[in-house]
C-alpha cells in the first residue's frame, strides 16, 4: 500500500478520475481485454444485471450502461485469481483472522467446497455430497427455531424463493436479510404511512419532475448510474435540494465519463441547487421546519385570498391525521428546530419555498435517513412533507428510496422475511401441502441477540458477510464461535468464514455473470430493481471452476438433504430449468409476477403494481397517514454528553461495496491509501485538543457494562457539522452497541453513534 495521502479532490464525480480508477482495477484483477467487451453486456436486456447497486435499468440503455463502481464489481467477481485447496493448506484460520477484509477477498474466487477441520485449524476440501449429508444431519438434529437462514440482497428471485420455502418447510420464519440493516425503516415506515412498503416512483418520473429533494444518499459512489437522470433533470433546470452533513462530490457536480464531448471539454453539471449540511439525525427537525414554513405560507395565502400552498383537495380526500400533524409543527419553535437540525431558519425556509413552488416533487433518500434510532420516523416525516402538496401517486412525484443490493427488494417480494404476515403462507400451504410456521421469525438484531444468549445454534448464509456487517462486531464474534453449525454460500473469502461454528462449511457458488448450465441448457435468473421493475439476467462468462455450483442447485441440495421428500416440491426439476421456478413463483404470487417468464427481458423490465402509486392506500385507516414523530432527540437513551463526545456517521468510501474493500482510496473525499481515518470539524478538534494528522482513539460512552473501542484513527479536518464525525464502515462497527437500533424497524443505527474522541497516547 502506498503512503496515505489526504488532499482535497477538485474534480467532478465521474469524469477522468472515474475512467482511470476503472482501468486500474481491470489491470489489478488481471482481467484480459475481454473485460472491456464484457462491460458492454452490463445492464442490457440481453446481458447480465450489475451485481453492484439496485438502481433502475432504463428502457433504452446507453451504449455503456455501467458506472465506475458497477465495473469494479464486475472486475472483482470476474477476477482470474483463485483461492483453492492449496491456499487453505498454506494458511490456518487463526492466521487468516489477522488479514484485512481487502486481503481476504482480493486473493480471488473460492473454487471448492470446504469444511473446517478443528485439528489442523484449516479449511479442507470436501465432496459436495458429503457436505450436504453432514449439514442435513446437523439440521435435522437441531430445533428449527434455533436455526437462522440469512440472505444478503444479491441472490436472484429464483434462489431467494427456494431459500425461503426451504426455511419454512424446515420449520422457521428466521429469514432476516440485509434489508434489516438497510431499508427496513422504509418497509415499516412507508407501509404505515401510505400502505405500500416500497417506493412509488419509476425512472420516467425523473423526466417529468419539477424538483428533487435528496436526503442522505451518496449517489456519486453508491448509485452512480442515477447521476444520468439527475444530470438530465438539471439540464431541464429542475432544482435539486440536498440535505447531507457532508458535501458529497456526486451531489455537487458531475461529468458524464461516457460522453466524449463532456470529457474533452471538461464540462460539468452542477447537481444540487441548494445544499443543506444538516446535522446527523437532524432531518426530522429540518423537515418539521419545512412543514412549519409551508403551513405559515398557506395560512397567509388563505387570509389574503391567494392560491393555496397546500393541496387541500388531496389532503381532504386522501389523508388522515392532518390536524394533529399541523398542530405538532406549529408547536415546535424555530430555536429548537435550528438546534436539532443544525440549519438556520432561513435555510430551512429556502428549502420550503422551493418545495412550495414545484408542481411535482420526488423525495429521494438513502441510509442517511434510515440508519438512525428514529429512522422509521425520519422516513415518515419525509412522507408527511410529500403529502402536504399531494406529491404521492402522480407523474413526476413520489417517494424514491434508493435500495442497496441489486435484488434486496426482490428478496422480500418472494418471501424472504421474518414477518409471517408479509409472506403468503396460505398460498404456500396449498401449493406445497405443508403447514408453514406462523410465528414471527428473527430479524438481524434478534438473530444477534439469540447468538449472544445461546438460543441460536446454527447460521446459514446465502451470500453476504454477516459477521462483519453487523454492529458490536467484537462482542458478536466471541458469541458466534459458540454456535454448533455455520454454513456460508459465497463467492469470495471473508471474515464470516473465519469466525466459524463448531461444524463449518464454505459452499462456493457461481456469480451472476457466469454461464449457469443446467439440464435444459444455460439458465437465466431475475431480480427487482429499486423502482420495482423485474429484469432477467443471463451469465456470459465461463464458470470460475468445475467444482462451483449455482445458488439454486446449492439451495435445492440443502433442502433435499434436510427435509422429508414432498412430491409437490420438485427441487430437481426446478434446478434443471429455472423457468419452472418462475412458474412456481407466479403460482404463489399471480398478480405481482404475471407472465414473469414471458416478460422478464422486456426493455425496462416488468413493473410490479404499487397500490400507493395509484393512490390506493392499503393502511389501517384506508388513507395516507400523517404521522407525528415522538421527539426530535436522536439518542434519547445515551448518557449525558460531555465536550469530547461526538455523533459518528459510519460511511462507505468510493472504493468499497459494503464489506468488500476494493482499495484504500476515497477519491471524492480526498483520502488516498488509508481507511483508518476520522473526519472532524475544526471547532470540535480545537475543543478536544487534536490537530489534523494526529491519531485518536474512539470509545462508546454507554453504561451497559461493555467496553467498545477502535484505536488509531488519523484525524482529517473536514467540512462536517460541529458535533458530528465520520469514518468508515465496517472498521468502526465494534463501536455500535447491538441495542443502538431504530426503535421500530430494528435497523442498526449506524449514522449517529455517540463516541468519545481521545487523543491516542502515542500521538
Ligand atoms: N459502490 C458502492 N455502491 C453501493 C454500496 C457500496 O458499498 N459501494 N452499497 C450498496 C448498499 S447495500 C446500500 S444500502 C447503498 C448505500 O448507499 P447510501 O444510502 O448512499 O449509504 P451511505 O454510503 O452509508 O451514505 C449515506 C449518506 O448519507 C449521509 N448521511 C449520514 N448521516 C446522515 C443524516 O443524518 N442525514 C442526512 N440527510 N444524511 C446523512 C452521508 O454523508 C452519506 O452521504 O449503496 C449500495 N451501492
Ligand atoms: N456501520 C455500518 N454497518 C453497516 C452499514 C453501514 O452503513 N454502516 N450498512 C449496512 C447495509 S446497508 C448492508 S446492506 C449490510 C451488508 O451486509 P452483507 O450483504 O451481509 O455484506 P456484503 O459486504 O454485501 O457481502 C459481501 C460478501 O458476499 C459474497 N458474495 C458476493 N457475491 C456473491 C454472490 O453472487 N453469491 C453469493 N452467495 N455470495 C456472494 C462474497 O463472499 C462477499 O465477501 O451491511 C450493513 N452494515
Ligand atoms: Mo444495504
Amino acid at each position: 500500500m502506498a503512503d496515505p495521502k489526504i488532499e482535497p479532490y477538485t474534480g467532478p464525480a465521474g469524469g477522468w478520475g472515474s475512467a482511470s480508477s476503472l482501468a486500474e482495477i481491470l489491470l489489478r484483477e488481471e482481467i484480459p481485454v475481454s473485460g472491456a467487451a464484457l462491460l458492454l453486456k452490463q445492464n442490457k436486456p440481453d446481458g447480465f444485471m450489475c451485481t453492484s447497486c439496485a438502481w433502475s435499468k432504463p428502457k433504452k440503455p446507453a451504449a455503456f450502461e455501467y458506472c465506475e463502481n458497477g465495473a469494479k464489481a464486475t472486475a472483482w467477481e470476474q477476477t482470474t485469481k483463485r483461492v483453492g485447496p492449496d491456499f487453505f493448506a498454506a494458511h490456518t484460520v487463526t492466521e487468516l483472522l489477522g488479514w484485512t477484509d481487502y486481503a481476504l477477498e482480493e486473493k480471488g474466487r473460492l473454487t471448492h467446497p470446504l469444511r473446517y477441520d478443528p485439528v489442523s485449524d484449516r479449511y479442507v476440501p470436501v465432496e459436495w455430497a458429503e457436505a450436504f449429508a453432514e449439514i442435513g444431519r446437523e439440521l435435522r438434529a437441531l430445533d428449527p427455531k434455533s436455526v437462522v437462514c440469512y440472505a444478503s440482497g444479491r441472490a436472484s428471485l429464483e434462489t431467494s424463493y427456494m431459500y425461503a420455502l426451504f426455511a419454512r418447510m424446515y420449520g422457521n420464519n428466521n429469514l432476516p436479510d440485509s434489508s434489516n440493516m438497510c431499508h427496513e425503516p422504509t418497509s415499516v415506515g412507508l407501509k404505515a404511512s401510505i400502505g405500500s412498503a416500497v417506493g412509488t416512483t419509476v425512472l420516467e418520473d425523473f423526466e417529468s419532475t419539477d424538483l428533487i429533494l435528496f436526503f442522505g444518499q451518496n449517489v456519486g459512489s453508491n448509485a452512480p448510474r442515477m447521476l444520468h437522470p439527475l444530470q438530465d433533470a438539471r439540464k431541464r433546470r429542475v432544482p435539486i435540494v440536498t440535505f447531507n452533513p457532508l458535501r458529497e462530490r456526486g451531489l455537487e457536480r458531475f461529468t458524464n465519463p461516457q460522453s466524449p464531448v463532456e470529457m474533452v471539454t471538461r464540462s460539468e453539471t452542477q447537481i444540487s441547487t441548494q445544499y443543506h449540511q444538516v446535522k446527523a439525525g437532524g432531518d426530522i427537525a429540518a423537515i418539521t421546519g419545512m412543514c412549519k414554513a409551508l403551513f405559515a405560507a398557506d395560512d397567509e395565502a388563505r387570509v389574503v385570498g391567494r392560491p393555496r400552498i397546500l393541496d387541500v383537495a388531496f389532503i381532504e380526500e386522501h389523508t388522515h391525521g392532518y390536524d394533529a400533524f399541523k398542530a405538532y409543527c406549529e408547536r415546535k419553535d424555530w430555536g429548537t428546530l435550528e438546534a436539532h437540525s443544525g440549519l438556520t431558519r432561513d435555510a430551512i425556509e429556502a428549502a420550503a419555498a422551493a418545495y412550495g413552488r414545484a408542481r411535482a416533487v420526488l423525495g429521494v433518500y438513502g441510509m442517511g435517513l434510515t440508519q438512525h434510532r428514529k429512522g422509521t420516523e425520519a422516513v415518515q416525516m419525509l412522507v408527511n412533507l410529500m403529502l402536504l402538496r399531494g406529491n404521492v401517486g402522480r407523474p413526476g412525484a413520489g417517494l424514491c428510496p434508493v435500495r442497496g443490493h441489486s435484488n434486496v427488494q426482490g428478496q422480500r417480494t418472494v418471501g424472504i422475511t421474518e414477518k409471517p404476515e408479509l409472506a403468503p403462507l396460505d398460498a404456500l400451504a396449498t401449493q406445497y401441502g405443508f403447514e408453514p410456521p406462523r410465528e414471527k421469525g428473527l430479524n438481524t438484531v434478534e438473530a444477534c441477540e439469540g447468538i449472544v444468549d445461546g438460543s441460536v445454534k446454527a447460521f446459514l448464509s446465502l451470500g453476504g458477510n454477516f459477521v462483519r456487517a453487523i454492529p458490536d462486531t467484537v462482542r458478536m464474534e466471541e458469541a458466534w464461535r459458540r454456535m454448533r453449525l455455520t454454513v456460508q454460500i459465497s463467492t469470495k473469502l471473508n471474515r464470516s468464514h473465519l469466525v466459524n461454528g463448531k461444524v463449518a462449511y464454505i459452499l462456493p457458488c457461481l456469480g451472476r455473470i457466469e454461464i449457469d448450465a443446467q439440464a435444459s441448457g444455460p439458465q437465466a435468473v431475475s431480480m427487482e430493481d429499486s423502482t420495482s421493475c423485474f429484469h432477467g439476467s443471463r451469465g456470459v462468462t465461463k464458470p470460475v471452476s468445475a467444482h462451483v455450483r449455482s445458488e439454486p442447485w446449492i439451495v435445492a441440495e440443502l433442502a433435499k438433504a434436510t427435509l422429508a421428500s414432498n412430491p409437490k416440491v420438485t427441487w430437481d426439476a426446478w434446478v434443471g430449468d429455472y423457468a419452472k421456478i418462475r412458474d412456481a413463483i407466479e403460482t404463489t404470487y399471480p398478480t405481482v409476477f404475471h407472465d414473469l417468464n414471458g416478460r422478464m427481458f422486456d426493455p425496462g423490465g416488468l413493473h410490479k403494481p404499487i397500490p400507493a402509486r395509484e393512490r390506493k392506500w392499503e393502511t389501517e385507516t384506508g388513507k395516507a397517514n400523517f404521522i407525528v414523530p415522538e421527539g426530535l432527540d436522536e439518542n434519547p437513551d445515551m448518557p449525558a454528553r460531555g465536550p469530547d463526545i461526538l455523533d459518528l456517521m459510519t460511511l462507505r468510501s468510493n472504493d468499497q461495496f459494503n464489506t468488500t474493500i476494493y482499495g484504500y482510496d476515497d477519491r471524492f473525499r480526498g483520502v488516498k491509501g488509508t481507511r483508518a481515518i476520522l473526519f472532524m470539524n475544526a471547532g470540535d478538534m480545537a475543543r478536544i485538543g487534536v490537530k489534523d494528522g494526529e491519531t485518536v482513539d474512539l470509545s462508546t460512552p454507554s453504561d451497559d457494562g461493555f467496553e467498545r473501542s477502535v484505536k488509531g484513527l488519523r484525524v482529517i479536518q473536514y467540512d462536517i457539522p460541529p458535533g458530528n464525525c465520520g469514518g468508515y464502515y465496517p472498521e468502526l462497527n465494534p463501536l455500535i452497541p447491538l441495542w443502538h437500533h431504530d426503535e421500530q424497524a430494528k435497523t442498526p443505527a449506524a449514522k449517529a453513534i455517540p463516541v468519545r474522541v481521545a487523543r491516542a497516547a502515542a500521538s
Side-chain angles (χ1 to χ4, degrees), residues 416-704:
I416 295 207
T417 171
E418 71 284 358
K419 294 173 184 154
E421 68 277 16
L422 299 184
L425 299 183
D426 294 334
L428 291 172
T430 315
Q431 196 172 344
Y432 300 114
F434 77 109
E435 193 35 59
R438 301 275 165 172
E439 63 275 38
K440 196 192 148 309
L442 303 173
N443 61 28
T444 287
V445 166
E446 291 157 354
C448 290
E449 289 165 351
I451 292 165
V452 168
D453 72 23
S455 59
V456 168
K457 305 212 179 326
F459 195 91
L460 313 185
S461 199
L462 177 58
N465 185 4
F466 191 80
V467 174
R468 198 66 176 135
I470 53 179
D472 243 345
T473 330
V474 174
R475 207 180 139 208
M476 283 310 304
E477 286 192 4
E478 192 263 321
W480 203 267
R481 296 193 164 88
R482 295 199 296 266
M483 274 194 285
R484 169 73 196 172
L485 173 72
T486 53
V487 178
Q488 309 276 338
I489 304 170
S490 311
T491 51
K492 284 202 164 182
L493 183 62
N494 65 42
R495 199 163 171 92
S496 296
H497 303 120
L498 307 174
V499 183
N500 53 284
K502 304 238 160 14
V503 178
Y505 282 90
I506 301 175
L507 307 179
C509 65
L510 291 174
R512 189 185 299 155
I513 306 171
E514 282 136 56
I515 296 166
D516 180 357
Q518 301 293 347
S520 66
Q523 303 298 313
V525 291
S526 53
M527 51 227 62
E528 177 178 345
D529 70 23
S530 245
T531 53
S532 308
C533 294
F534 304 119
H535 301 270
S537 177
R538 251 191 267 276
V540 292
T541 60
K542 198 168 147 257
V544 55
S545 127
H547 304 279
V548 301
R549 295 288 183 272
S550 77
E551 289 178 329
W553 183 85
I554 294 173
V555 173
E557 293 300 313
L558 261 179
K560 282 159 54 188
T562 310
L563 308 174
S565 86
N566 173 341
K568 291 189 165 170
V569 190
T570 52
W571 300 106
D572 288 333
W574 283 354
V575 172
D577 181 0
Y578 297 177
K580 295 194 171 131
I581 315 174
R582 289 185 287 274
D583 286 337
I585 294 177
E586 198 181 328
T587 306
T588 312
Y589 307 86
T591 4
V592 175
F593 288 103
H594 179 63
D595 196 20
L596 179 63
N597 268 315
R599 301 194 47 199
M600 63 198 251
F601 286 103
D602 284 0
L606 165 65
H607 188 244
K608 165 172 96 172
I610 307 295
R613 192 175 159 76
E614 319 297 328
R615 295 195 166 173
K616 290 184 199 131
W617 319 106
E618 296 185 347
T619 59
E620 275 177 23
T621 60
K623 305 262 182 182
N625 293 312
F626 284 101
I627 296 180
V628 174
E630 253 180 25
L632 296 175
D633 202 352
E634 166 73 6
N635 287 301
D637 41 14
M638 279 285 189
R641 50 188 48 225
D644 55 348
I645 294 180
L646 304 176
D647 279 332
L648 169 74
M649 300 184 274
T650 56
L651 304 160
R652 292 162 167 77
S653 78
N654 184 49
D655 223 1
Q656 76 183 84
F657 189 90
N658 298 338
T659 68
T660 294
I661 310 303
Y662 301 129
Y664 287 83
D665 298 345
D666 192 1
R667 191 170 80 247
F668 300 143
R669 301 196 185 112
V671 183
K672 214 169 164 40
T674 178
R675 293 176 54 84
I677 57 94
L678 188 70
F679 297 118
M680 285 181 76
N681 171 283
D684 294 331
M685 288 166 59
R687 191 182 61 251
I688 295 170
V690 293
K691 298 203 174 66
D692 187 85
E694 284 184 342
T695 310
V696 290
D697 298 337
L698 299 184
S699 57
T700 312
S702 60
D703 47 14
D704 61 2

Side-chain angles (χ1 to χ4, degrees), residues 108-132:
R109 287 285 297 277
L110 294 157
T111 59
H112 285 69
L114 302 159
R115 180 188 198 283
Y116 179 64
D117 170 34
V119 178
S120 64
D121 184 32
R122 284 177 170 82
Y123 272 102
V124 294
V126 61
E127 293 300 322
W128 281 105
E130 213 181 299
F132 289 121

Side-chain angles (χ1 to χ4, degrees), residues 218 221-222 243-244 248 281 283 367 372 652 656 658 751:
N218 186 13
S221 291
N222 297 335
F243 291 81
N244 196 309
E248 304 284 26
D283 302 272
M367 298 299 98
H372 286 285
R652 292 162 167 77
Q656 76 183 84
N658 298 338
K751 293 295 186 270

